């Protein structure tokens, strides 16, 4: 996989992880970015004695230069596995994003995990954070051929499977569930850095006929009905999607996350969004 096919993420926060990695961290240790001076008693490495700072110390103690240690983080993909996510090729996009995110995280030296949930969080869709690609590839293949059903209410259990330290979370959903559920989920994830990716299919609202009979079915409730399409009804449906988009934007922004609406696994668009987060 080429570097251009990987996600390039940066963090607007400092990692508190002990293990070295590629991101700015709170720990001092091996690194090139000067952080502070420390007394000799706090750092026994005489190679880092700063003679000028030691001479200027009013208590005449040796002062040692301390450097910021780059640290690794945990990266997770939280996926909505409700019935509507099994429609119009969304499962293929989910599988592609899962593989891409895992390879990207491993490229940074980060650990990667996956949490997928429909009505509940099933063990087969849970991958604890690790650094092995084979389990990720296996789950991605299974997701592409699985049958999704019900709602995404099980995502509310995601915090139980996340680490105690702050992690980078990519949330993939089509947002076709009550806003109250989304608000509850975002409230439970506030200690983490959430990147929402809202996956919408354009055929659901942009390519509707102006006239004719249109059979429709709510994938999550299973309710079917036939609509007599006419221009005014098509405009109402398009307006409803536009209003839904604004509602989702407002909800995510209220919890400090800017969502990106995607129709495919568009790596360049996602990378531009990630760069804008830290610009």
């Amino acid at each position: 996989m080429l570097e251009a096919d990987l996600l390039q993420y940066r963090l607007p926060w400092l990692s508190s992880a002990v293990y070295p990695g590629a991101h700015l961290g709170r720990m001092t240790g091996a690194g090139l970015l000067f952080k502070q001076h420390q007394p000799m008693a706090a750092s026994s490495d005489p190679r880092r004695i700063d003679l000028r700072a030691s001479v200027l110390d009013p208590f005449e103690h040796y002062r040692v230069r301390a450097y910021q240690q780059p640290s690794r983080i945990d990266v997770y993909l939280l996926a909505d596995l409700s019935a509507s996510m099994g429609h119009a090729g969304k499962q293929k996009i989910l599988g592609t994003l899962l593989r891409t995110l895992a390879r990207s995280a491993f490229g940074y030296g980060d650990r990667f995990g996956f949490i997928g949930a429909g009505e509940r969080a099933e063990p087969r869709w849970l991958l604890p954070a690790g650094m092995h690609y084979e389990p990720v590839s296996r789950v991605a293949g299974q997701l592409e051929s699985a049958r999704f059903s019900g709602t995404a209410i099980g995502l509310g259990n995601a915090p139980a499977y996340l680490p105690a330290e702050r992690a980078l979370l990519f949330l993939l959903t089509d947002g076709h569930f009550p806003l109250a559920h989304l608000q509850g989920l975002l409230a439970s994830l506030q200690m983490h850095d959430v990147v929402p990716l809202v996956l919408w299919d354009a055929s659901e609202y942009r390519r509707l006929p102006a006239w004719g009979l249109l059979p429709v079915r709510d994938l999550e409730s299973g309710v079917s009905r036939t609509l007599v399409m006419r221009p005014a009804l098509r405009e109402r449906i398009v307006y409803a999607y536009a209003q839904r988009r604004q509602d989702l934007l407002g909800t995510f922004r209220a919890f400090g996350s800017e969502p990106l609406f995607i129709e495919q696994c568009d790596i360049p668009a996602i990378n531009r969004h990630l760069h804008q987060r830290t610009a």
Side-chain angles (χ1 to χ4, degrees):
M1 178 173 280
L2 300 175
E3 187 175 348
D5 298 326
L6 298 176
L7 293 176
Q8 300 160 7
Y9 55 83
R10 289 288 185 271
L11 305 180
W13 45 278
L14 300 179
S15 170
S16 57
V18 175
Y19 295 98
H23 308 282
L24 292 179
R26 299 183 185 278
M27 304 294 293
T28 57
L32 299 176
L33 185 62
F34 174 77
K35 184 174 183 179
Q36 61 189 18
H37 283 109
Q38 291 180 335
M40 186 68 176
S43 176
S44 59
D45 188 350
R47 296 173 299 176
R48 294 185 173 180
I49 291 179
D50 188 326
L51 293 178
R52 183 176 181 276
S54 301
V55 170
L56 295 175
D57 189 306
F59 301 103
E60 300 182 348
H61 293 157
Y62 282 108
R63 307 294 293 178
V64 180
R65 291 186 296 271
Y67 292 86
Q68 200 166 30
Q69 173 191 285
S71 299
R72 81 180 184 192
I73 61 169
D74 287 344
V75 180
Y76 275 81
L77 174 60
L78 274 60
D80 169 355
L81 304 185
S82 63
S84 58
M85 284 292 290
H87 173 67
K90 294 178 184 176
Q91 288 176 252
K92 182 69 176 178
I93 296 171
L94 168 58
T96 302
L97 181 63
L98 177 55
R99 295 185 183 94
T100 302
L101 259 176
R103 289 193 176 104
S104 304
F106 298 155
Y108 280 105
D110 295 329
R111 301 196 309 171
F112 178 77
F114 174 73
I115 299 173
E119 290 285 347
R120 58 186 180 278
E122 299 180 32
R124 60 175 174 157
W125 304 136
L126 299 174
L127 282 178
M131 301 191 71
H132 299 286
Y133 181 72
E134 192 279 332
V136 177
S137 179
R138 173 174 49 79
V139 170
Q142 293 172 347
L143 283 168
E144 289 172 344
S145 59
R147 181 178 180 183
F148 298 166
S149 62
T151 69
I153 195 170
L155 275 177
N157 298 319
Y161 304 100
L162 291 171
E165 293 182 342
R166 194 174 197 194
L168 178 62
L169 310 180
F170 289 83
L171 172 61
L172 182 68
T173 177
D174 56 12
H176 293 334
F177 51 81
L179 288 179
H181 291 174
L182 179 59
Q183 291 165 348
L185 173 63
L186 294 176
S188 68
L189 299 176
Q190 276 195 297
M191 70 165 287
H192 300 289
D193 185 8
V194 180
V195 180
L197 301 175
V198 182
L199 180 58
W200 273 10
D201 174 34
S203 65
E204 295 176 354
Y205 59 102
R206 287 186 192 160
R207 301 168 192 164
L208 298 174
W211 297 97
L213 297 178
L214 181 67
V216 295
R217 184 165 66 94
D218 186 324
L219 295 171
E220 299 185 6
S221 66
V223 176
S224 299
R225 59 185 300 193
T226 300
L227 300 178
V228 180
M229 290 300 297
R230 51 197 185 282
L233 179 56
R234 186 175 64 174
E235 289 181 9
R236 283 170 51 193
I237 295 175
V238 172
Y239 175 79
Y241 266 87
Q243 184 60 49
R244 180 67 176 177
R245 182 188 183 99
Q246 291 302 314
D247 291 342
L248 290 172
L249 278 169
T251 302
F252 282 117
R253 287 172 178 171
F255 287 90
S257 300
E258 183 69 21
L260 175 67
F261 287 77
I262 58 174
E263 296 179 0
Q264 55 185 329
C265 190
D266 188 343
I267 301 302
I270 298 174
N271 276 333
R272 286 195 295 273
H273 180 69
L274 294 174
H275 293 164
Q276 289 169 358
R277 293 175 72 241
T278 54

